[in-house]
Amino acid sequence: MRSSTLFLAVLVLLIQICESSSLQVGPLDDWASMITNAESGSEIHFLAGNYHGDCDVQISKAVTLIGEAGPTHTIIDCRGSARHFNVRMNATLQVDGLTFMNGNSTGADPQDA
């Protein structure tokens, strides 16, 4: 009985660990697509560097973004092209260790039109 209880406890712990994934992205990777395609509850770890490319990433789930080298060494720069993120209703975005530069939030959200 005791060994089956321990087995069930370990199984539940493994299921909880597998439910959320941890992904790693580098400056040359398509970081926006990685966020868009991540499972709800995922942590995305950004390596040190400057990130450019597609901005106005639609967040429609729970996602955590972590700058591994801290905000002075991990920068997402939209170069004035768009806002960085558009967090949709019932979504959650947590951020730690990232700097956001040159976002542009002028104009209406195209999904609100």
Side-chain angles (χ1 to χ4, degrees):
M1 177 75 168
R2 186 175 179 115
S3 63
S4 62
T5 303
L6 178 60
F7 173 77
L8 287 174
V10 170
L11 182 61
V12 168
L13 179 62
L14 287 174
I15 290 171
Q16 289 174 344
I17 290 171
C18 291
E19 284 180 352
S20 65
S21 62
S22 180
L23 307 168
Q24 189 175 62
V25 62
L28 300 178
D29 296 329
D30 185 355
W31 60 273
S33 291
M34 187 171 288
I35 294 170
T36 301
N37 296 322
E39 297 176 15
S40 185
S42 292
E43 286 186 354
I44 301 174
H45 296 261
F46 286 72
L47 299 176
N50 293 319
Y51 293 80
H52 308 285
D54 292 334
C55 286
D56 200 18
V57 178
Q58 303 299 307
I59 306 289
S60 59
K61 59 193 142 228
V63 179
T64 301
L65 309 180
I66 300 170
E68 289 294 317
T72 58
H73 300 289
T74 317
I75 300 166
I76 298 178
D77 184 351
C78 287
R79 298 179 174 169
S81 65
R83 65 186 83 210
H84 289 81
F85 304 103
N86 190 345
V87 182
R88 309 310 297 172
M89 187 180 291
N90 298 321
T92 305
L93 175 61
Q94 295 182 11
V95 178
D96 184 32
L98 293 168
T99 294
F100 300 100
M101 295 177 57
N102 302 317
N104 181 351
S105 63
T106 58
D109 178 356
Q111 293 193 16
D112 291 339

